[in-house]
Amino acid sequence: MTSSARARANHKLYLARILLDAWQRALDGEDIPANTLAQAFFRPVREHLIGAYGWFLLALCHLDELQPYPPRSCAELPELPQGRAVPGEVHEFQHLEDSGWLADLLDERDELARVSHRSGEAGRNLATTASELPGPAEMSFWSEQLEALFNRMGDSLDEC
């Protein structure tokens, strides 16, 4: 079943890339403000990337049964069967979760906390994206990093 988990990881990565391309095209069109596009695209792209990551973690662990939802981090991986060691690749991911680009991707701060509010006409609140909300360039970088790791680590999966 690890091939199924790996296929799900690749599919989630593919879906994220589709959204990233659409986000960039919308930005290039300059019809909708960048902050509004960030609010529309950030969460779905992030969820696809985290889903890809979680499914790949399951594939690395050679778990026989797929869960209905992938884990969101190494800490959420199900217990491995007795006698099975945690793969070295999972340890590498644990390290990346602590700092760097993967830690940024997995940052659970709600994007609403990343949005500042200002009062508009008639007392309505208009949301504007805070500068720390990642855009398509940074999220594309995360996607590329995941794909590179999936390709490198996938070689060891293919050998099993």
Side-chain angles (χ1 to χ4, degrees):
M1 289 260 185
T2 43
S3 62
S4 181
R6 189 170 175 191
R8 289 181 183 199
N10 289 334
H11 183 69
K12 285 290 202 178
L13 204 53
Y14 176 67
L15 295 175
R17 278 193 233 108
I18 290 171
L19 287 174
L20 285 166
D21 288 345
W23 189 354
Q24 189 59 56
R25 281 192 308 275
L27 277 173
D28 293 345
E30 298 181 357
D31 294 330
I32 301 170
N35 58 352
T36 303
L37 290 171
Q39 292 170 32
F41 283 101
F42 172 75
R43 177 176 269 184
V45 171
R46 181 176 176 268
E47 288 304 312
H48 283 306
L49 292 175
I50 292 173
Y53 175 59
W55 287 121
F56 193 75
L57 286 174
L58 290 174
L60 285 173
C61 292
H62 300 284
L63 295 173
D64 295 331
E65 294 183 26
L66 287 180
Q67 301 177 347
Y69 301 101
R72 297 178 69 81
S73 67
C74 293
E76 291 184 12
L77 278 168
E79 285 190 37
L80 295 178
Q82 191 167 356
R84 189 180 295 173
V86 175
E89 294 89 351
V90 172
H91 291 295
E92 182 177 342
F93 276 128
Q94 284 172 324
H95 176 71
L96 290 171
E97 285 181 11
D98 290 335
S99 63
W101 68 269
L102 189 53
D104 292 339
L105 170 63
L106 299 176
D107 185 355
E108 287 295 332
R109 288 182 296 161
D110 188 335
E111 70 268 14
L112 292 178
R114 300 176 192 214
V115 174
S116 62
H117 296 278
R118 61 182 167 84
S119 182
E121 289 181 23
R124 294 182 308 181
N125 284 334
L126 300 175
T128 58
T129 306
S131 61
E132 74 244 21
L133 189 64
E138 185 173 357
M139 296 188 92
S140 291
F141 172 77
W142 294 342
S143 174
E144 292 163 6
Q145 293 301 305
L146 280 174
E147 183 174 19
L149 286 170
F150 290 4
N151 289 336
R152 179 174 57 84
M153 293 178 179
D155 292 341
S156 67
L157 285 174
D158 294 338
E159 293 172 5
C160 295

Short mmCIF file of all heavy atoms in Angstrom, two decimals, residues 21-48:
data_model
loop_
_atom_site.label_atom_id
_atom_site.label_comp_id
_atom_site.label_asym_id
_atom_site.label_seq_id
_atom_site.Cartn_x
_atom_site.Cartn_y
_atom_site.Cartn_z
N ASP A 21 0.01 27.77 -10.05
CA ASP A 21 0.01 28.35 -11.40
C ASP A 21 -1.17 29.32 -11.57
O ASP A 21 -1.02 30.40 -12.13
CB ASP A 21 -0.06 27.25 -12.45
CG ASP A 21 1.24 26.47 -12.57
OD1 ASP A 21 2.29 26.93 -12.06
OD2 ASP A 21 1.20 25.37 -13.18
N ALA A 22 -2.34 28.92 -11.09
CA ALA A 22 -3.52 29.79 -11.19
C ALA A 22 -3.31 31.07 -10.38
O ALA A 22 -3.69 32.16 -10.83
CB ALA A 22 -4.76 29.05 -10.70
N TRP A 23 -2.72 30.95 -9.21
CA TRP A 23 -2.44 32.11 -8.35
C TRP A 23 -1.52 33.07 -9.08
O TRP A 23 -1.77 34.28 -9.12
CB TRP A 23 -1.83 31.62 -7.05
CG TRP A 23 -1.65 32.61 -5.95
CD1 TRP A 23 -1.87 33.96 -5.97
CD2 TRP A 23 -1.18 32.33 -4.63
NE1 TRP A 23 -1.56 34.52 -4.75
CE2 TRP A 23 -1.15 33.53 -3.92
CE3 TRP A 23 -0.79 31.16 -4.00
CZ2 TRP A 23 -0.73 33.60 -2.59
CZ3 TRP A 23 -0.38 31.22 -2.68
CH2 TRP A 23 -0.36 32.44 -1.98
N GLN A 24 -0.45 32.54 -9.68
CA GLN A 24 0.50 33.40 -10.38
C GLN A 24 -0.14 34.07 -11.58
O GLN A 24 0.09 35.25 -11.83
CB GLN A 24 1.74 32.60 -10.80
CG GLN A 24 2.85 33.47 -11.33
CD GLN A 24 3.32 34.49 -10.30
OE1 GLN A 24 3.72 34.15 -9.19
NE2 GLN A 24 3.26 35.77 -10.65
N ARG A 25 -0.96 33.33 -12.33
CA ARG A 25 -1.66 33.92 -13.48
C ARG A 25 -2.59 35.05 -13.02
O ARG A 25 -2.66 36.11 -13.67
CB ARG A 25 -2.44 32.87 -14.25
CG ARG A 25 -1.61 32.02 -15.19
CD ARG A 25 -2.44 31.20 -16.15
NE ARG A 25 -3.48 30.40 -15.50
CZ ARG A 25 -3.29 29.19 -14.98
NH1 ARG A 25 -2.10 28.64 -15.01
NH2 ARG A 25 -4.29 28.53 -14.42
N ALA A 26 -3.28 34.83 -11.91
CA ALA A 26 -4.18 35.87 -11.39
C ALA A 26 -3.38 37.09 -10.94
O ALA A 26 -3.81 38.23 -11.17
CB ALA A 26 -5.02 35.32 -10.24
N LEU A 27 -2.23 36.86 -10.33
CA LEU A 27 -1.38 38.00 -9.95
C LEU A 27 -0.90 38.76 -11.18
O LEU A 27 -0.90 39.99 -11.19
CB LEU A 27 -0.16 37.51 -9.15
CG LEU A 27 -0.33 37.26 -7.67
CD1 LEU A 27 0.92 36.61 -7.09
CD2 LEU A 27 -0.65 38.54 -6.93
N ASP A 28 -0.50 38.02 -12.19
CA ASP A 28 -0.01 38.66 -13.42
C ASP A 28 -1.11 39.46 -14.10
O ASP A 28 -0.83 40.46 -14.76
CB ASP A 28 0.54 37.60 -14.38
CG ASP A 28 1.80 36.93 -13.86
OD1 ASP A 28 2.43 37.45 -12.91
OD2 ASP A 28 2.16 35.85 -14.38
N GLY A 29 -2.37 39.01 -13.96
CA GLY A 29 -3.49 39.72 -14.57
C GLY A 29 -3.77 41.06 -13.91
O GLY A 29 -4.37 41.95 -14.52
N GLU A 30 -3.35 41.23 -12.68
CA GLU A 30 -3.50 42.48 -11.92
C GLU A 30 -4.94 42.96 -11.82
O GLU A 30 -5.19 44.15 -11.65
CB GLU A 30 -2.60 43.56 -12.51
CG GLU A 30 -1.13 43.22 -12.44
CD GLU A 30 -0.23 44.30 -13.00
OE1 GLU A 30 -0.73 45.32 -13.51
OE2 GLU A 30 1.00 44.12 -12.92
N ASP A 31 -5.92 42.05 -11.94
CA ASP A 31 -7.32 42.44 -11.82
C ASP A 31 -7.80 42.40 -10.37
O ASP A 31 -8.75 43.10 -10.00
CB ASP A 31 -8.21 41.51 -12.65
CG ASP A 31 -7.96 41.65 -14.14
OD1 ASP A 31 -7.59 42.75 -14.57
OD2 ASP A 31 -8.13 40.65 -14.85
N ILE A 32 -7.17 41.55 -9.57
CA ILE A 32 -7.56 41.35 -8.17
C ILE A 32 -6.35 41.69 -7.32
O ILE A 32 -5.22 41.28 -7.63
CB ILE A 32 -8.01 39.90 -7.93
CG1 ILE A 32 -9.19 39.56 -8.84
CG2 ILE A 32 -8.37 39.67 -6.46
CD1 ILE A 32 -9.54 38.08 -8.86
N PRO A 33 -6.54 42.43 -6.23
CA PRO A 33 -5.40 42.78 -5.37
C PRO A 33 -4.66 41.54 -4.86
O PRO A 33 -5.26 40.51 -4.55
CB PRO A 33 -6.04 43.55 -4.21
CG PRO A 33 -7.35 44.04 -4.75
CD PRO A 33 -7.80 43.01 -5.74
N ALA A 34 -3.36 41.67 -4.78
CA ALA A 34 -2.51 40.56 -4.34
C ALA A 34 -2.91 40.03 -2.97
O ALA A 34 -2.89 38.82 -2.73
CB ALA A 34 -1.05 40.99 -4.33
N ASN A 35 -3.30 40.93 -2.07
CA ASN A 35 -3.68 40.48 -0.72
C ASN A 35 -4.95 39.64 -0.76
O ASN A 35 -5.09 38.68 -0.01
CB ASN A 35 -3.80 41.65 0.25
CG ASN A 35 -4.80 42.70 -0.19
OD1 ASN A 35 -5.34 42.67 -1.28
ND2 ASN A 35 -5.05 43.66 0.70
N THR A 36 -5.87 39.96 -1.64
CA THR A 36 -7.10 39.17 -1.77
C THR A 36 -6.78 37.81 -2.37
O THR A 36 -7.31 36.78 -1.93
CB THR A 36 -8.13 39.92 -2.62
OG1 THR A 36 -8.36 41.21 -2.03
CG2 THR A 36 -9.43 39.15 -2.73
N LEU A 37 -5.91 37.78 -3.36
CA LEU A 37 -5.50 36.50 -3.95
C LEU A 37 -4.80 35.62 -2.92
O LEU A 37 -5.02 34.41 -2.89
CB LEU A 37 -4.60 36.74 -5.16
CG LEU A 37 -5.29 37.34 -6.38
CD1 LEU A 37 -4.26 37.74 -7.43
CD2 LEU A 37 -6.31 36.37 -6.95
N ALA A 38 -3.97 36.22 -2.09
CA ALA A 38 -3.29 35.45 -1.04
C ALA A 38 -4.31 34.81 -0.10
O ALA A 38 -4.17 33.65 0.29
CB ALA A 38 -2.32 36.34 -0.26
N GLN A 39 -5.33 35.57 0.25
CA GLN A 39 -6.37 35.02 1.13
C GLN A 39 -7.12 33.88 0.45
O GLN A 39 -7.54 32.94 1.11
CB GLN A 39 -7.32 36.13 1.54
CG GLN A 39 -6.68 37.15 2.46
CD GLN A 39 -7.57 38.35 2.67
OE1 GLN A 39 -8.78 38.25 2.67
NE2 GLN A 39 -6.95 39.51 2.85
N ALA A 40 -7.30 33.95 -0.86
CA ALA A 40 -8.02 32.91 -1.59
C ALA A 40 -7.18 31.66 -1.82
O ALA A 40 -7.69 30.54 -1.74
CB ALA A 40 -8.49 33.46 -2.94
N PHE A 41 -5.89 31.82 -2.06
CA PHE A 41 -5.06 30.69 -2.47
C PHE A 41 -4.19 30.10 -1.36
O PHE A 41 -3.84 28.91 -1.42
CB PHE A 41 -4.14 31.09 -3.63
CG PHE A 41 -4.83 31.15 -4.96
CD1 PHE A 41 -5.22 32.36 -5.50
CD2 PHE A 41 -5.08 30.00 -5.69
CE1 PHE A 41 -5.85 32.43 -6.73
CE2 PHE A 41 -5.71 30.05 -6.92
CZ PHE A 41 -6.11 31.27 -7.45
N PHE A 42 -3.81 30.88 -0.37
CA PHE A 42 -2.84 30.41 0.62
C PHE A 42 -3.26 29.10 1.29
O PHE A 42 -2.52 28.12 1.27
CB PHE A 42 -2.58 31.49 1.69
CG PHE A 42 -1.74 31.00 2.83
CD1 PHE A 42 -0.38 30.83 2.67
CD2 PHE A 42 -2.30 30.69 4.05
CE1 PHE A 42 0.42 30.36 3.71
CE2 PHE A 42 -1.53 30.23 5.11
CZ PHE A 42 -0.17 30.06 4.93
N ARG A 43 -4.44 29.08 1.88
CA ARG A 43 -4.86 27.90 2.64
C ARG A 43 -4.98 26.65 1.77
O ARG A 43 -4.44 25.60 2.12
CB ARG A 43 -6.16 28.15 3.39
CG ARG A 43 -6.64 26.88 4.13
CD ARG A 43 -7.86 27.11 4.93
NE ARG A 43 -7.41 27.50 6.27
CZ ARG A 43 -8.21 27.71 7.27
NH1 ARG A 43 -9.51 27.62 7.12
NH2 ARG A 43 -7.73 28.04 8.44
N PRO A 44 -5.66 26.69 0.61
CA PRO A 44 -5.76 25.45 -0.18
C PRO A 44 -4.40 24.94 -0.68
O PRO A 44 -4.16 23.74 -0.68
CB PRO A 44 -6.68 25.81 -1.34
CG PRO A 44 -7.11 27.21 -1.16
CD PRO A 44 -6.49 27.76 0.06
N VAL A 45 -3.51 25.85 -1.09
CA VAL A 45 -2.19 25.40 -1.53
C VAL A 45 -1.45 24.76 -0.36
O VAL A 45 -0.89 23.67 -0.49
CB VAL A 45 -1.37 26.58 -2.11
CG1 VAL A 45 0.08 26.16 -2.36
CG2 VAL A 45 -1.99 27.09 -3.40
N ARG A 46 -1.48 25.41 0.79
CA ARG A 46 -0.79 24.88 1.98
C ARG A 46 -1.34 23.52 2.36
O ARG A 46 -0.58 22.60 2.67
CB ARG A 46 -0.95 25.88 3.14
CG ARG A 46 -0.26 25.43 4.40
CD ARG A 46 -0.37 26.53 5.47
NE ARG A 46 0.20 26.06 6.70
CZ ARG A 46 -0.47 25.45 7.66
NH1 ARG A 46 -1.76 25.24 7.54
NH2 ARG A 46 0.14 25.05 8.75
N GLU A 47 -2.65 23.36 2.33
CA GLU A 47 -3.25 22.08 2.71
C GLU A 47 -2.84 20.97 1.74
O GLU A 47 -2.60 19.84 2.17
CB GLU A 47 -4.78 22.20 2.81
CG GLU A 47 -5.24 22.99 4.02
CD GLU A 47 -4.72 22.43 5.35
OE1 GLU A 47 -4.81 21.21 5.57
OE2 GLU A 47 -4.21 23.23 6.16
N HIS A 48 -2.77 21.27 0.46
CA HIS A 48 -2.31 20.26 -0.51
C HIS A 48 -0.84 19.89 -0.24
O HIS A 48 -0.48 18.71 -0.29
CB HIS A 48 -2.48 20.73 -1.94
CG HIS A 48 -3.89 20.66 -2.44
ND1 HIS A 48 -4.65 19.51 -2.40
CD2 HIS A 48 -4.68 21.61 -3.01
CE1 HIS A 48 -5.84 19.75 -2.92
NE2 HIS A 48 -5.89 21.02 -3.28
#
